[in-house]
Amino acid sequence: MSATSLDPAIAARLKRNADGLLPAIAQQYDTGEVLMLGWMDAEALHRTLTTGRCTYWSRSRGEYWVKGDTSGHVQHVKSVALDCDGDTVLVRVDQLGAACHTGDRTCFDADVLLPAAGQ
């Protein structure tokens, strides 16, 4: 992870874990569909805010990755919000293609533990 250019006022509000990361929930902006959860540090958040494309920190590879750079399944950022505790980011996106690395639309359709009421 590198030094960040994130606005210091925003950076001061972030409550990160011991690795300097916070969860970032990607949600389809027009339907509310929850697509995936990734991890961001201050620099990934800065890149997301300034480029209009979601940038995450890969814990397994130890590097930044921009959603869609290799798969073509791009997330165009529509809005970004910090939760009330400052420990989670909600990124509302326009998802092109699959959000999940398995090829599914979302990371949450393959293993439903309890179906929604009425299903």
Side-chain angles (χ1 to χ4, degrees), residues 1-12 14 16 20 22 40-50 64:
M1 291 183 270
S2 65
T4 184
S5 301
L6 185 64
D7 179 327
I10 295 171
L14 302 179
R16 295 162 268 200
L22 64 156
M40 290 185 180
D41 65 358
E43 179 60 22
L45 180 56
H46 168 72
R47 293 180 188 188
T48 298
L49 293 170
T50 57
Y64 294 103

Side-chain angles (χ1 to χ4, degrees), residues 70-83:
T70 57
S71 68
H73 300 164
V74 177
Q75 292 176 340
H76 293 287
V77 176
K78 297 295 187 177
S79 68
V80 179
L82 189 59
D83 81 334

